[in-house]
Structure formats: C-alpha cells, structure tokens
Amino acid sequence: MATQRYSVTPHPIETLLTWVKSGEIAIPEIQRPFVWDSTKVRNLIDSLYQGYPVGYLIAWRNPNLRLKDGTISAGKRILIDGQQRVTALMAALLGHEVLTKDYETVRIRIAFHPGEERFEVHNSAIAKDRAWIPDLSHLFAPDAYLGDFVDDYVKRNPETDRKQIGRVLERLKKIVNNHIGLIELAEDLDIETVTEIFIRVNSAGVELSQADFAMSKIAVNERYGGNLMRKAIDYFCHLAVAPEFASKIEKGDPDFARSEFWPAIRWLRDVNDALYDPTYTDVLRVAFTFEFGRGKLQDLVALLSGRNFETKQYEESTAEESFAKLKSGILAFMKKTHFDRLTMILRSVGFVTSDLITSRNAVNFAYIVYLRGRREGLPPDDIERLVRRWYAMSILTGRYTGSPDTAFDLDIRQIETQGLRDYAEAIIASELPDTFWTGMLPQLMETSSAQSPYFIAYLAAQARLGDKGFLSKDITVRDLLLNRGDKHHIFPRRYLQQQGMNRGRYNQIANFVMAQSEVNIAIGDKPPEVYFKEIAEQVNGGPKRYGGITDPETLKRNFEENCLPISLLSGQVPDYETFLAERRRLMALRIKRWFEVLG
C-alpha cells in the first residue's frame, strides 16, 4: 500500500485568512488578475452561510534550501490550489481590492439583506434600499461591534424585529468560524511529484499547467526579484494586446515604473500590432529554453526551487542563479529589436495576419532559433534564413503540436551539442525530402479544415510569392488576406450539396481559392463547366463577367498561381474527386516553390 504523501486538516476560515495576511501561506497568483466574476464571490459567501462545503485548499511548503553559510532555510507554504477562493474571501470579508482582467483595481462589494437572508453583488438599486447592508465587509472589520451594527440597522428599518436581525447577523458573522480543509503536501516530496499533483488537482475545471506553476514560483520569491519579474511578464502580455494600458501602469504602479523592467517594455505603448500577442506561457517557454538550454518547464520549476540537478540537493545558490538566468531570458524576449525582427521575419514568410498564426509553439521556437543565432554570432541574413525555413518546416510537419515540452527539449539540446546551423539544416533536410512534396503532402492536404497547417502554409505561400487572387487582375492574395477576402468554392457549395455531398467533402481545402467578393458573387452557384466556359470566352473577346482579366496569357498565369489545371478552360472539367486530387498535387508544388524561395 502506497504511503500517504499529504495531510488533511480542517482550519477555521479566520485562521486561514490570518495566515495569508501574515505571509504564513503565500498566494502565488496575487499579482495576476482575479478571474472570478462578482456573482461567483456572492455564491461562495452564500454557500458558507448555508453551511455548504466549499472544497479544499492545497498547500505545499517550498523545499528547504541550503544557504551559503551552510544553514537550512525553511520555505514558505505556497497555496497551489484555492487562490481564487481565498482572494474572493479576502475581497468580500476583509474589503481587499482585486485586479480585474483589465488590470483595474476594484472593490467587490457583497450586499446582504437580513430580512430575506439573501446576498447580492452591490449595485445602485441596493445602495438606495435601506433594507440592504451594502457591504458586508463592514461587519467583519476588526473594530465592528455586532450590537452597534444591529442598532444601526433597526434605526434605519424600524419595522424590523431587532432580535431576529441580531440572530441573522450573528449567524452571518460566524461564517469565519466555518472550517475549510487544508491539504498539506509532504515537505519531502520532490518537485516532480508536486508538479504532477499540481497539474492533476483542479477544482475549477481549468487545467493547471507547468507555466502556471512556474509563474507561481516566480511571484512568491521576493528575494531574487520574482515579484517584479512576474509583473513584467503580465504587463508585457497585457500591453501587447492593449497598448493604452501603459498609462495605468505608470500611474497605478509607481514601484514597477521605477524598476528596470519598465524601460524594457514601455515601447509597446506605441505599437498596435496583433500578429503575435504572446501569453505568459509563451514568454516563459522562449526565455527558459533559450537561456537554460532545456525545454521542459517542470525543470524550470525545479531550478527556481533551488534544485541542483548534479547533486540532487536544493541549494540557495541554484535558485539565485536560476532567477538571474530567467531574468536575462525574459529581457531578451521583451527587447524591441528582437521582437520586431521576429514579427518582420514571420511577415516575410507570408504569415501576414494573426489568423495565419495557428501554432504558437512554432512561433516560440522560431524566436528561440532567432535568439540562439544571435548568441552564436551568425550573420543577420543567415539567422533570418534559418528562422524562415525552420518555421515553415515546423508548420508543415506539426513539429510542436503534440508534446511541445518534449520537442523543445530535444531540439534545444541538439542545438547545444551540434550548433544551430548544422542541426537546423540537417533536420530540415530529413523532415522535408523531395518525396514529401510529391508523395506525403498531397495526401495530408485531403482535409476540410481551413485551419489545417497545409492550407495555412498554402495561403502564406501565395502571400509570399505575390500571387493574385482568383480571377483578379491586380488584387493579390496578400491584399485579400489583410482585408479578409473571400474563400471561394471552385466547385460551388450549393452545386455540390445538390449532388448529395456533405460538408466534409464540399469544404475540402483543395476546393478553395482566395477571391474578391464580387468574383465570388458573380460565380454564385453556377456549375463549374458553365462558368469556366464563360471565363474562357471573356479572354477571347466575350463579355466581361468575372474580374478584370481579358487576355489569355494573364488568365493562364492566374490559373497557375491559384493551382488550377489549365484544361478547365478548354471545357475539360473532370469529376469532383479527380479535380481535388489534381489540385492537391498542384498546391503541394506551389508550397514547395514557396519553401525554395525562403532559402
């Protein structure tokens, strides 16, 4: 029978809140936005009032670290599950402010109606209704006396029964005596085991990740500046989405504005580019993998805890060194010239809108390739070439879609051993041999997912190669992508539906071209043999029905750029499945041409 690796002890809410205030239990998420809405806070208080269970909290004491003088330092308890509930209790009962998703500092006021014994989120109607106690945190203030509270309420509501009101408010005030179970993980558990527990445990329905755990570890470490580092990551990600938030940082967080991190990220206030808006997971992945030469985020958690992988001991010097290295990696990620160059390279490959950025981890490793290239002193042109080709290869092969931790770890360790250029070129050659373009890729393109990496790569190829939209004389695919042009069914959808085809067949990616909406509308539901015949007539002196192309040579070039068999113009329209097979072959060759241009 396995040994139990934890203890479960019920504690009064009042005791737990006292521990949090004193720092006995550290809430690692304290600088992250409070994600519960106000109604969930109300429901939590109501559950306590009704005597319902509200789940367990889970804490783990940081490993004991060996200090430089040889003594042992006991770590704080970290609350690894239950942060939202504890924050909600502190907001509702103690009147603490919380950070919203918009990084605004607000008070969540929960009102109470003693007569109806009902809780509500404070609003303007409640503020005008004397039957409500507008903010129950006043009842829980250290100097609040229940008798005075009852007297004041009855004075405002003389029709109420003083004894009844007194009993109700006394019951409400006693909710801090309710017990919540605290699961404390054994202090001798290693990081890997705690990490596994952290990921498995979940009371809110949202999977907790290694990045969450790492961010928690960073936030609670003030000795090595983890609290400011944590803010820098959060603020960077927020500014990337909402540059106007900069003024709130400068006014609302003067301590951070005076830190070395603010000059490193404030350039985002003048940028409105949504091509790649990183999350904190992205920042950590890139910074850690680039700086530490490792790809598994659980290793970052261990290193920040002081785990020396050589001695298997937890040492303060390891924690200090790890925080310093992580800080260096984060600053490299945030540097304007680095970030700008990455997005410029992505655009140069043809990924011109955020809609085409469907694999964040492929972008993340492309950024690592860029940063490693700079560290190895490669010429800028060589770095850009490597990043372009590696990113394209990653998209086409789905290199980071399965288990990114494992893939990142494999690639960065090999780069450490072999050097970036040699390893990247060897992998690209082995992953994309000549047979890939003619054998495997056309088969992979038999899909109806417009978000498939192969269709995304095809659109990027057209954007990079300067291809014109279907039947467009001047408008390019790049223009259409930037202005949300239409994906047009070559064999019209309604036409195929009438033949009994389902969505999976008529929405095959080989049946799509990028087209101007007016071209799409003009074609409508016409059978392909009809409108292709009319297109042929248009370039031979006939009426202009579709776009502005009026000469055969321009039309032929347009068909080649859009991977359409020229035979369609001579009235030879094959059956749908034959057409799809031929177009997949042509699209694969177009993608191959694109990849050749990248290098």
Side-chain angles (χ1 to χ4, degrees), residues 186-260:
E187 293 179 23
D188 62 348
L189 287 178
D190 58 54
I191 277 284
E192 290 76 12
T193 305
V194 175
T195 300
E196 180 65 23
I197 293 170
F198 177 85
I199 292 169
R200 291 189 185 192
V201 166
N202 178 23
S203 59
V206 179
E207 183 182 346
L208 301 169
S209 70
Q210 294 284 0
D212 292 322
F213 200 2
M215 289 291 270
S216 299
K217 298 288 297 182
I218 294 167
V220 299
N221 191 306
E222 297 182 13
R223 174 178 291 184
Y224 304 128
N227 52 329
L228 279 177
M229 198 185 304
R230 171 62 181 265
K231 277 189 179 184
I233 296 170
D234 283 334
Y235 285 161
F236 184 91
C237 296
H238 193 75
L239 283 171
V241 176
E244 65 277 7
F245 181 62
S247 61
K248 293 181 181 177
I249 297 174
E250 290 178 317
K251 293 174 184 175
D253 197 346
D255 288 343
F256 181 81
R258 286 191 293 269
S259 78
E260 63 185 300

Side-chain angles (χ1 to χ4, degrees), residues 573-587:
V573 179
D575 67 86
Y576 182 57
E577 295 300 331
T578 302
F579 164 76
L580 290 178
E582 175 61 9
R583 186 148 192 269
R584 282 192 289 266
R585 185 185 72 82
L586 294 172
M587 290 169 73

Side-chain angles (χ1 to χ4, degrees), residues 315-345:
E315 302 168 358
E316 185 191 25
S317 58
T318 300
E320 182 177 12
E321 179 187 350
S322 298
F323 270 91
K325 288 181 74 172
L326 182 62
K327 176 181 173 183
S328 176
I330 288 168
L331 288 171
F333 182 103
M334 294 174 171
K335 191 170 182 178
K336 183 179 188 301
T337 52
H338 296 169
F339 199 83
D340 284 350
R341 188 58 57 91
L342 173 72
T343 53
M344 181 196 74
I345 294 171

Side-chain angles (χ1 to χ4, degrees), residues 555-571:
L555 182 63
K556 180 182 177 184
R557 187 163 60 251
N558 186 267
F559 268 46
E560 289 172 349
E561 291 177 354
N562 285 282
C563 303
L564 292 166
I566 300 299
S567 58
L568 292 171
L569 294 173
S570 58

Side-chain angles (χ1 to χ4, degrees), residues 1 30 55 78 189 191 195 222 252 285 294 344 352 374 379 414 425 450 455 527 555 571 586:
M1 184 174 176
I30 204 70
I78 296 179
L189 287 178
I191 277 284
T195 300
E222 297 182 13
R285 277 202 187 285
R294 294 171 175 267
M344 181 196 74
V352 293
R374 286 182 59 90
Q414 291 301 314
E425 293 292 4
F455 190 60
L555 182 63
L586 294 172

Side-chain angles (χ1 to χ4, degrees), residues 12 39 49 67 79 97 109 191 195 220-222 259 275 287 289 299 301 311 322 350 390 450 510 534 539 560 583 590:
T39 56
Y49 186 74
L67 303 181
L79 194 65
E97 294 180 325
R109 293 177 173 84
I191 277 284
T195 300
V220 299
N221 191 306
E222 297 182 13
S259 78
L275 185 69
T289 304
D299 288 350
V301 174
T311 65
S322 298
W390 187 273
E534 291 173 342
V539 296
E560 289 172 349
R583 186 148 192 269
R590 196 70 181 160

Side-chain angles (χ1 to χ4, degrees), residues 97-122:
E97 294 180 325
V98 299
L99 286 170
T100 68
K101 294 174 184 175
D102 297 322
Y103 285 79
E104 294 177 336
T105 304
V106 300
R107 277 285 320 279
I108 296 176
R109 293 177 173 84
I110 303 301
F112 181 64
H113 193 302
E116 299 177 2
E117 297 184 62
R118 183 161 61 92
F119 298 91
E120 281 297 341
V121 178
H122 182 271

Side-chain angles (χ1 to χ4, degrees), residues 365-382:
F365 207 89
Y367 203 174
I368 293 163
V369 169
Y370 171 79
L371 293 172
R372 292 292 301 209
R374 286 182 59 90
R375 172 168 287 177
E376 292 184 17
L378 298 180
D381 284 351
D382 289 3

